[in-house]
Amino acid sequence: LDGVTRERFLRDIYPRRKPVVLTGMELGPCTTKWTVDYLSQAEGSKEVKIHVSTVPQMDFLSKNFVYRTLPFDVFVRRAAEVNHQEYFLSEDEKYYLRSVGEDARKDIADIRKQFPVLAKDVQIPEYFEKEQFFSSVFRISSAGLQLWTHYDVMDNFLIQVTGKKRVVLYSPRDAPYLYLSGTKSEVLDVDNPDMEKYPLFVKAKRYQCFLEAGDVLFIPALWFHNVISKEFGVALNVFWKHLPAESYDKTDTYGNKDPMAASRAIQILDRALKTLEELPEEYRDFYARRMVLRIQEKAYRNDYG
Protein backbone atom coordinates (compact mmCIF):
# COMPACT_ATOMS: atom_id res chain seq x y z
CA LEU A 1 0.00 0.00 0.00
CA ASP A 2 1.47 3.33 -1.03
CA GLY A 3 1.91 6.37 1.22
CA VAL A 4 -0.38 5.19 4.02
CA THR A 5 -1.07 7.87 6.64
CA ARG A 6 -1.09 7.12 10.36
CA GLU A 7 -4.86 7.68 10.44
CA ARG A 8 -5.53 5.24 7.60
CA PHE A 9 -3.16 2.66 9.08
CA LEU A 10 -4.90 2.77 12.47
CA ARG A 11 -8.39 2.79 10.97
CA ASP A 12 -8.18 0.32 8.05
CA ILE A 13 -5.06 -1.83 8.41
CA TYR A 14 -4.09 -2.26 12.06
CA PRO A 15 -7.41 -3.73 13.32
CA ARG A 16 -7.26 -6.52 10.69
CA ARG A 17 -4.06 -7.98 12.29
CA LYS A 18 -2.62 -9.08 8.94
CA PRO A 19 0.84 -8.34 7.51
CA VAL A 20 0.98 -5.46 5.01
CA VAL A 21 3.79 -3.91 2.94
CA LEU A 22 3.72 -0.11 3.16
CA THR A 23 5.51 1.74 0.35
CA GLY A 24 6.30 5.39 -0.25
CA MET A 25 6.77 6.08 3.47
CA GLU A 26 8.74 9.13 4.61
CA LEU A 27 11.78 7.53 6.25
CA GLY A 28 14.27 10.40 6.15
CA PRO A 29 17.63 10.57 4.33
CA CYS A 30 18.76 7.07 5.40
CA THR A 31 17.49 5.38 2.20
CA THR A 32 19.92 7.31 -0.01
CA LYS A 33 22.62 8.19 2.52
CA TRP A 34 23.45 4.77 3.96
CA THR A 35 26.15 3.58 1.58
CA VAL A 36 28.92 1.27 2.80
CA ASP A 37 31.33 4.23 2.94
CA TYR A 38 28.96 6.45 4.89
CA LEU A 39 27.93 3.72 7.36
CA SER A 40 31.51 2.76 8.15
CA GLN A 41 32.69 6.32 8.78
CA ALA A 42 29.49 7.52 10.53
CA GLU A 43 29.80 5.22 13.54
CA GLY A 44 33.54 4.57 13.34
CA SER A 45 35.36 1.69 14.96
CA LYS A 46 33.19 0.95 17.99
CA GLU A 47 32.99 -2.81 18.62
CA VAL A 48 29.90 -4.80 17.66
CA LYS A 49 29.01 -8.40 18.41
CA ILE A 50 27.98 -10.30 15.29
CA HIS A 51 26.87 -13.75 14.11
CA VAL A 52 29.26 -15.43 11.67
CA SER A 53 28.16 -18.47 9.67
CA THR A 54 29.84 -20.56 6.95
CA VAL A 55 26.46 -21.31 5.36
CA PRO A 56 23.65 -18.90 4.40
CA GLN A 57 20.92 -20.73 6.33
CA MET A 58 21.38 -19.96 10.02
CA ASP A 59 20.24 -22.81 12.27
CA PHE A 60 19.25 -22.05 15.87
CA LEU A 61 19.07 -25.79 16.71
CA SER A 62 22.54 -26.92 15.69
CA LYS A 63 23.90 -23.38 16.32
CA ASN A 64 25.83 -23.40 13.04
CA PHE A 65 27.15 -19.90 13.72
CA VAL A 66 29.63 -18.34 16.11
CA TYR A 67 29.65 -14.98 17.83
CA ARG A 68 32.56 -12.70 17.06
CA THR A 69 33.42 -9.07 17.71
CA LEU A 70 34.59 -6.57 15.09
CA PRO A 71 34.96 -2.80 14.86
CA PHE A 72 31.75 -1.52 13.22
CA ASP A 73 33.53 -0.02 10.17
CA VAL A 74 35.42 -3.28 9.49
CA PHE A 75 32.24 -5.32 9.96
CA VAL A 76 30.22 -3.20 7.47
CA ARG A 77 32.87 -3.57 4.77
CA ARG A 78 33.14 -7.32 5.33
CA ALA A 79 29.38 -7.86 5.33
CA ALA A 80 29.15 -6.00 2.01
CA GLU A 81 31.69 -8.23 0.23
CA VAL A 82 31.12 -11.79 -0.96
CA ASN A 83 34.66 -13.14 -0.57
CA HIS A 84 36.87 -12.02 2.26
CA GLN A 85 40.61 -11.43 2.45
CA GLU A 86 40.30 -11.61 6.23
CA TYR A 87 37.82 -13.98 7.83
CA PHE A 88 37.03 -16.09 10.94
CA LEU A 89 35.79 -19.41 9.50
CA SER A 90 35.81 -19.37 5.69
CA GLU A 91 36.44 -16.87 2.92
CA ASP A 92 32.77 -16.80 1.90
CA GLU A 93 31.34 -16.64 5.45
CA LYS A 94 28.13 -14.67 6.10
CA TYR A 95 27.67 -11.93 8.70
CA TYR A 96 24.67 -10.78 10.65
CA LEU A 97 24.35 -7.94 13.16
CA ARG A 98 21.33 -7.68 15.41
CA SER A 99 21.93 -4.70 17.64
CA VAL A 100 21.45 -5.18 21.38
CA GLY A 101 21.43 -2.89 24.41
CA GLU A 102 24.57 -2.00 26.40
CA ASP A 103 23.88 -5.01 28.62
CA ALA A 104 21.93 -7.45 26.40
CA ARG A 105 20.37 -9.11 29.46
CA LYS A 106 18.95 -5.87 30.85
CA ASP A 107 18.82 -3.25 28.11
CA ILE A 108 16.71 -3.14 24.96
CA ALA A 109 18.08 -2.28 21.53
CA ASP A 110 17.53 1.40 20.73
CA ILE A 111 19.18 2.87 17.64
CA ARG A 112 19.21 6.31 19.32
CA LYS A 113 21.49 4.95 22.04
CA GLN A 114 23.62 2.38 20.17
CA PHE A 115 23.97 4.22 16.83
CA PRO A 116 23.18 7.89 17.60
CA VAL A 117 24.75 9.31 14.40
CA LEU A 118 22.73 6.98 12.15
CA ALA A 119 19.57 7.47 14.22
CA LYS A 120 19.48 11.11 13.11
CA ASP A 121 19.03 9.96 9.47
CA VAL A 122 15.92 7.90 10.18
CA GLN A 123 12.36 9.04 10.51
CA ILE A 124 10.56 6.14 12.20
CA PRO A 125 6.86 5.93 11.28
CA GLU A 126 5.27 6.72 14.65
CA TYR A 127 1.98 4.95 14.09
CA PHE A 128 1.70 4.13 17.80
CA GLU A 129 1.83 6.13 21.04
CA LYS A 130 5.25 7.10 22.42
CA GLU A 131 4.76 5.08 25.61
CA GLN A 132 4.05 1.95 23.55
CA PHE A 133 7.54 2.01 22.01
CA PHE A 134 9.58 -1.02 23.01
CA SER A 135 12.73 -1.19 20.87
CA SER A 136 14.38 -0.21 17.61
CA VAL A 137 16.67 -2.98 16.38
CA PHE A 138 19.35 -2.12 13.84
CA ARG A 139 20.20 -5.05 11.51
CA ILE A 140 22.83 -5.61 8.85
CA SER A 141 23.00 -8.84 6.80
CA SER A 142 25.32 -10.31 4.20
CA ALA A 143 23.76 -11.16 0.83
CA GLY A 144 22.06 -14.58 0.91
CA LEU A 145 21.70 -14.82 4.68
CA GLN A 146 18.52 -16.59 5.85
CA LEU A 147 17.11 -16.25 9.36
CA TRP A 148 15.02 -19.03 10.89
CA THR A 149 11.22 -18.81 11.12
CA HIS A 150 10.07 -17.33 14.43
CA TYR A 151 7.38 -15.18 16.02
CA ASP A 152 7.62 -12.12 18.25
CA VAL A 153 5.09 -11.20 20.93
CA MET A 154 4.93 -7.53 19.92
CA ASP A 155 3.80 -5.75 16.78
CA ASN A 156 6.62 -4.62 14.58
CA PHE A 157 7.58 -2.57 11.53
CA LEU A 158 10.42 -4.09 9.51
CA ILE A 159 11.90 -1.05 7.76
CA GLN A 160 14.09 -2.08 4.82
CA VAL A 161 16.47 0.87 4.50
CA THR A 162 18.85 -0.49 1.84
CA GLY A 163 19.04 -3.79 -0.07
CA LYS A 164 16.30 -6.31 -0.80
CA LYS A 165 14.68 -9.01 1.33
CA ARG A 166 12.28 -11.86 0.77
CA VAL A 167 9.95 -12.47 3.69
CA VAL A 168 7.83 -15.62 4.07
CA LEU A 169 5.08 -15.41 6.70
CA TYR A 170 2.68 -17.85 8.39
CA SER A 171 -0.42 -17.06 10.39
CA PRO A 172 -0.48 -17.72 14.17
CA ARG A 173 -3.27 -20.24 13.58
CA ASP A 174 -0.84 -22.42 11.58
CA ALA A 175 1.38 -22.94 14.63
CA PRO A 176 0.35 -26.66 14.85
CA TYR A 177 2.06 -27.30 11.48
CA LEU A 178 5.30 -25.41 12.15
CA TYR A 179 7.03 -27.81 14.59
CA LEU A 180 7.77 -25.21 17.23
CA SER A 181 10.66 -25.15 19.64
CA GLY A 182 9.85 -22.18 21.86
CA THR A 183 9.26 -19.18 19.59
CA LYS A 184 11.06 -20.79 16.63
CA SER A 185 10.11 -23.29 13.93
CA GLU A 186 12.33 -26.34 13.45
CA VAL A 187 11.58 -26.28 9.70
CA LEU A 188 14.62 -24.32 8.54
CA ASP A 189 14.30 -24.74 4.80
CA VAL A 190 10.82 -23.40 4.05
CA ASP A 191 11.38 -23.82 0.28
CA ASN A 192 12.47 -27.48 0.37
CA PRO A 193 11.26 -28.88 3.71
CA ASP A 194 12.06 -32.43 4.80
CA MET A 195 8.56 -33.90 4.40
CA GLU A 196 9.44 -37.14 6.18
CA LYS A 197 10.51 -35.23 9.25
CA TYR A 198 7.84 -32.50 8.99
CA PRO A 199 4.80 -34.02 7.23
CA LEU A 200 2.28 -31.47 8.58
CA PHE A 201 4.24 -28.50 7.25
CA VAL A 202 2.37 -28.67 3.90
CA LYS A 203 -0.77 -27.56 5.75
CA ALA A 204 0.77 -24.22 6.75
CA LYS A 205 -0.39 -21.47 4.37
CA ARG A 206 2.56 -19.51 3.04
CA TYR A 207 2.41 -15.75 2.50
CA GLN A 208 5.34 -14.09 0.74
CA CYS A 209 6.55 -10.60 -0.08
CA PHE A 210 9.67 -8.95 -1.48
CA LEU A 211 10.89 -5.79 0.21
CA GLU A 212 12.77 -3.14 -1.75
CA ALA A 213 14.80 -0.33 -0.17
CA GLY A 214 12.35 2.07 1.51
CA ASP A 215 9.59 -0.50 2.04
CA VAL A 216 8.08 -1.12 5.48
CA LEU A 217 6.50 -4.46 6.40
CA PHE A 218 3.97 -4.47 9.24
CA ILE A 219 4.30 -7.81 11.06
CA PRO A 220 1.56 -8.23 13.69
CA ALA A 221 2.49 -9.99 16.93
CA LEU A 222 2.50 -13.83 16.74
CA TRP A 223 2.85 -13.93 12.93
CA PHE A 224 5.74 -16.21 11.96
CA HIS A 225 8.34 -14.81 9.58
CA ASN A 226 11.36 -16.16 7.73
CA VAL A 227 13.71 -13.64 6.14
CA ILE A 228 16.30 -13.93 3.35
CA SER A 229 18.54 -10.99 2.48
CA LYS A 230 18.70 -10.99 -1.31
CA GLU A 231 21.49 -8.40 -1.17
CA PHE A 232 23.72 -6.85 1.47
CA GLY A 233 21.30 -4.62 3.32
CA VAL A 234 20.48 -2.53 6.34
CA ALA A 235 17.14 -2.72 8.14
CA LEU A 236 15.55 -1.40 11.27
CA ASN A 237 12.84 -3.17 13.25
CA VAL A 238 10.62 -1.11 15.49
CA PHE A 239 8.66 -3.05 18.11
CA TRP A 240 5.84 -1.61 20.16
CA LYS A 241 3.54 -2.90 22.88
CA HIS A 242 0.18 -3.88 21.53
CA LEU A 243 -1.06 -5.16 24.94
CA PRO A 244 -1.05 -3.20 28.22
CA ALA A 245 2.56 -2.78 29.42
CA GLU A 246 2.05 -5.01 32.48
CA SER A 247 1.16 -7.99 30.24
CA TYR A 248 4.79 -8.41 29.18
CA ASP A 249 7.64 -10.12 30.99
CA LYS A 250 9.78 -7.42 32.62
CA THR A 251 12.98 -9.37 31.87
CA ASP A 252 12.26 -9.47 28.11
CA THR A 253 14.81 -7.39 26.20
CA TYR A 254 14.25 -9.05 22.80
CA GLY A 255 10.44 -8.90 22.54
CA ASN A 256 10.10 -12.67 22.25
CA LYS A 257 9.14 -13.87 25.73
CA ASP A 258 5.52 -14.97 25.94
CA PRO A 259 3.12 -12.65 27.81
CA MET A 260 3.02 -13.35 31.55
CA ALA A 261 -0.50 -14.86 31.48
CA ALA A 262 0.49 -17.20 28.62
CA SER A 263 3.58 -18.41 30.51
CA ARG A 264 1.50 -19.05 33.64
CA ALA A 265 -1.15 -20.92 31.63
CA ILE A 266 1.49 -23.18 30.06
CA GLN A 267 2.97 -23.93 33.50
CA ILE A 268 -0.50 -24.84 34.81
CA LEU A 269 -1.09 -27.08 31.78
CA ASP A 270 2.23 -28.84 32.37
CA ARG A 271 1.14 -29.52 35.96
CA ALA A 272 -2.21 -30.88 34.72
CA LEU A 273 -0.45 -33.23 32.29
CA LYS A 274 1.85 -34.42 35.09
CA THR A 275 -1.25 -35.16 37.18
CA LEU A 276 -2.74 -37.24 34.35
CA GLU A 277 0.30 -39.51 34.55
CA GLU A 278 -1.15 -40.91 37.78
CA LEU A 279 -3.82 -42.66 35.67
CA PRO A 280 -3.45 -45.80 33.53
CA GLU A 281 -2.98 -45.18 29.79
CA GLU A 282 -6.62 -45.83 28.78
CA TYR A 283 -7.92 -43.29 31.30
CA ARG A 284 -5.13 -40.82 30.58
CA ASP A 285 -6.01 -40.87 26.87
CA PHE A 286 -9.74 -40.39 27.59
CA TYR A 287 -9.29 -37.42 29.94
CA ALA A 288 -6.58 -35.82 27.79
CA ARG A 289 -8.98 -35.81 24.82
CA ARG A 290 -11.68 -34.24 26.98
CA MET A 291 -9.21 -31.57 28.10
CA VAL A 292 -8.33 -30.78 24.48
CA LEU A 293 -12.04 -30.37 23.64
CA ARG A 294 -12.51 -28.13 26.66
CA ILE A 295 -9.60 -25.92 25.58
CA GLN A 296 -11.04 -25.69 22.06
CA GLU A 297 -14.51 -24.80 23.33
CA LYS A 298 -13.31 -22.24 25.86
CA ALA A 299 -10.33 -20.59 24.16
CA TYR A 300 -10.30 -21.10 20.39
CA ARG A 301 -11.57 -18.31 18.17
CA ASN A 302 -14.38 -19.26 15.85
CA ASP A 303 -14.18 -16.21 13.60
CA TYR A 304 -10.96 -17.01 11.77
CA GLY A 305 -11.50 -16.33 8.08
Side-chain angles (χ1 to χ4, degrees), residues 91 113 119 137 166 177 198 252 302:
E91 62 180 30
K113 290 183 182 149
V137 182
R166 183 197 80 175
Y177 317 130
Y198 309 116
D252 187 6
N302 54 15

Side-chain angles (χ1 to χ4, degrees), residues 151-281:
Y151 71 87
D152 301 292
V153 299
M154 294 184 198
D155 290 343
N156 130 45
F157 277 147
L158 168 53
I159 302 166
Q160 191 63 29
V161 181
T162 69
K164 295 178 183 176
K165 278 202 176 91
R166 183 197 80 175
V167 186
V168 172
L169 301 118
Y170 299 96
S171 159
R173 71 171 313 187
D174 281 345
Y177 317 130
L178 296 177
Y179 298 87
L180 294 187
S181 172
T183 60
K184 307 171 187 82
S185 166
E186 291 180 15
V187 186
L188 291 167
D189 191 340
V190 294
D191 300 301
N192 298 292
D194 181 338
M195 294 320 294
E196 281 185 19
K197 209 170 172 188
Y198 309 116
L200 294 176
F201 185 67
V202 289
K203 293 187 171 190
K205 184 178 176 186
R206 172 187 176 123
Y207 297 83
Q208 180 172 293
C209 63
F210 290 89
L211 300 181
E212 304 274 338
D215 288 349
V216 177
L217 173 62
F218 167 53
I219 308 176
L222 310 182
W223 272 78
F224 295 87
H225 44 288
N226 177 292
V227 180
I228 293 184
S229 296
K230 291 295 196 182
E231 307 171 333
F232 162 77
V234 184
L236 183 66
N237 277 95
V238 183
F239 291 91
W240 69 92
K241 297 169 185 171
H242 168 57
L243 307 175
E246 61 276 10
S247 309
Y248 300 100
D249 188 324
K250 294 280 179 288
T251 66
D252 187 6
T253 55
Y254 283 85
N256 62 4
K257 286 192 179 176
D258 291 315
M260 303 289 278
S263 298
R264 285 201 307 274
I266 289 165
Q267 285 170 355
I268 293 164
L269 177 63
D270 285 342
R271 285 206 298 276
L273 292 169
K274 192 105 188 87
T275 309
L276 278 186
E277 285 172 20
E278 294 170 21
L279 294 165
E281 188 180 35

Side-chain angles (χ1 to χ4, degrees), residues 96-112:
Y96 171 56
L97 165 71
R98 184 239 188 253
S99 66
V100 291
E102 310 325 308
D103 178 342
R105 289 187 310 275
K106 294 196 199 117
D107 304 319
I108 53 138
D110 185 341
I111 189 173
R112 292 166 300 190

Side-chain angles (χ1 to χ4, degrees), residues 9-240:
F9 177 77
L10 293 174
R11 186 191 65 220
D12 301 338
I13 299 166
Y14 198 49
R16 291 174 58 208
R17 314 295 302 149
K18 298 253 173 76
V20 173
V21 178
L22 307 170
T23 55
M25 303 283 276
E26 188 44 70
L27 299 172
C30 55
T31 46
T32 50
K33 217 172 166 183
W34 285 7
T35 60
V36 171
D37 285 342
Y38 175 76
L39 288 168
S40 47
Q41 60 88 30
E43 293 286 352
S45 58
K46 68 160 155 231
E47 304 241 292
V48 285
K49 191 177 179 185
I50 52 170
H51 300 68
V52 183
S53 172
T54 54
V55 293
Q57 210 167 53
M58 284 174 63
D59 180 351
F60 74 96
L61 289 169
S62 69
K63 295 280 190 288
N64 66 346
F65 51 85
V66 295
Y67 292 102
R68 291 290 181 266
T69 305
L70 278 178
F72 183 71
D73 50 358
V74 176
F75 156 69
V76 169
R77 294 196 179 283
R78 280 217 217 164
E81 60 192 23
V82 178
N83 288 334
H84 316 292
Q85 243 70 56
E86 293 179 39
Y87 50 86
F88 296 109
L89 308 170
S90 66
E91 62 180 30
D92 61 348
E93 65 194 16
K94 305 287 183 193
Y95 299 94
Y96 171 56
L97 165 71
R98 184 239 188 253
S99 66
V100 291
E102 310 325 308
D103 178 342
R105 289 187 310 275
K106 294 196 199 117
D107 304 319
I108 53 138
D110 185 341
I111 189 173
R112 292 166 300 190
K113 290 183 182 149
Q114 286 100 41
F115 298 93
V117 180
L118 296 176
K120 292 189 180 80
D121 299 335
V122 188
Q123 194 177 312
I124 291 171
E126 303 228 333
Y127 285 17
F128 46 89
E129 300 300 324
K130 283 229 181 330
E131 60 274 12
Q132 287 178 278
F133 170 84
F134 175 70
S135 66
S136 50
V137 182
F138 185 64
R139 299 180 193 270
I140 296 184
S141 306
S142 292
L145 186 89
Q146 181 170 18
L147 282 181
W148 52 77
T149 306
H150 67 284
Y151 71 87
D152 301 292
V153 299
M154 294 184 198
D155 290 343
N156 130 45
F157 277 147
L158 168 53
I159 302 166
Q160 191 63 29
V161 181
T162 69
K164 295 178 183 176
K165 278 202 176 91
R166 183 197 80 175
V167 186
V168 172
L169 301 118
Y170 299 96
S171 159
R173 71 171 313 187
D174 281 345
Y177 317 130
L178 296 177
Y179 298 87
L180 294 187
S181 172
T183 60
K184 307 171 187 82
S185 166
E186 291 180 15
V187 186
L188 291 167
D189 191 340
V190 294
D191 300 301
N192 298 292
D194 181 338
M195 294 320 294
E196 281 185 19
K197 209 170 172 188
Y198 309 116
L200 294 176
F201 185 67
V202 289
K203 293 187 171 190
K205 184 178 176 186
R206 172 187 176 123
Y207 297 83
Q208 180 172 293
C209 63
F210 290 89
L211 300 181
E212 304 274 338
D215 288 349
V216 177
L217 173 62
F218 167 53
I219 308 176
L222 310 182
W223 272 78
F224 295 87
H225 44 288
N226 177 292
V227 180
I228 293 184
S229 296
K230 291 295 196 182
E231 307 171 333
F232 162 77
V234 184
L236 183 66
N237 277 95
V238 183
F239 291 91
W240 69 92

